[in-house]
Amino acid sequence: GEPIAVGDSTYKGDSPGKKATRARLWFHAAKWMQAIDQPYRGALVLAGHGGDISTLEGLCIDTSKVTAVDIAPDAAEYCAELYPNCNVVCGDAAKVSETVEYNVAHLDFCNQLNVDNIYTIRQVALNAKKPAYIGVTMLKGREQSSECKQKLMPPMSSAVRRRVRSYHIGQKDMVAAHF
């Protein structure tokens, strides 16, 4: 398709696979929340070009309770123009999640899993009204090999971390040992 002109972006829109994945995610979120008898309190999404909002509209979900966040001013402005009924914020999703009400979220990272994304996922999950459904999608094959993980690590030495890991392995708690 034709590129969408937003700032310096040459984004050509969602692929059919991405559209199907997004629709499946929101369909399952709605079914899950219905199954546990939870009302829709609002959604938090990454704004981008409004793909999540468009999908929610297609599923007849109230988009006036959607907060779309983007750190790129051009993308936030574009999304706000497309969907004036939504709350569109230019900012960091982890920070914005502290100030809005939602119990469903989709964080569609168009990059690799990295420390900042993990931190954002954590904050969005912590700030959601419980119980909540948090969906995360990202591109694969763009992983980073080295970055500072201090934001995720407890304030302890590597020797102490090794002892804690050994303890959890001894307890056969492999999830805790991994983290």
Side-chain angles (χ1 to χ4, degrees):
E2 288 296 312
I4 298 171
V6 177
D8 296 328
S9 175
T10 58
Y11 179 66
K12 293 186 179 192
D14 290 348
S15 68
K18 187 168 184 174
K19 287 178 183 179
T21 298
R22 180 181 281 120
R24 192 169 41 245
L25 179 138
W26 284 111
F27 176 77
H28 286 290
K31 287 297 185 191
W32 180 258
M33 295 304 274
Q34 287 173 358
I36 61 173
D37 198 28
Q38 289 302 305
Y40 170 62
R41 299 188 191 289
L44 180 71
V45 301
L46 300 183
H49 293 99
D52 284 305
I53 302 165
S54 175
T55 302
L56 291 168
E57 281 182 342
L59 294 171
C60 298
I61 295 174
D62 181 6
T63 57
S64 70
K65 294 181 179 181
V66 172
T67 299
V69 184
D70 209 300
I71 58 172
D74 289 344
E77 184 179 322
Y78 179 75
C79 188
E81 288 173 10
L82 283 178
Y83 303 100
N85 189 40
C86 297
N87 178 30
V88 180
V89 179
C90 182
D92 178 66
K95 197 74 173 152
V96 171
S97 71
E98 298 172 3
T99 63
V100 296
E101 185 173 340
Y102 61 95
N103 62 343
V104 291
H106 178 211
L107 300 173
D108 183 14
F109 297 115
C110 292
N111 59 5
Q112 70 284 337
L113 182 62
N114 60 35
V115 170
D116 286 337
N117 290 350
I118 293 168
Y119 178 77
T120 298
I121 295 164
R122 175 185 180 268
Q123 293 307 110
V124 166
L126 288 173
N127 293 321
K129 301 297 179 204
K130 311 301 186 288
Y133 185 99
I134 312 294
V136 178
T137 54
M138 61 188 58
L139 296 174
K140 63 180 181 177
R142 293 189 181 182
E143 293 78 12
Q144 291 181 345
S145 59
S146 65
E147 62 181 315
C148 178
K149 296 172 183 64
Q150 191 61 40
K151 194 184 276 186
L152 302 175
M153 302 301 288
M156 63 177 74
S157 70
S158 58
V160 171
R161 281 197 300 273
R162 282 192 301 274
R163 285 196 302 274
V164 170
R165 184 175 190 279
S166 293
Y167 169 80
H168 287 294
I169 289 171
Q171 298 295 308
K172 301 201 183 317
D173 185 353
M174 299 313 288
V175 172
H178 179 75
F179 285 104

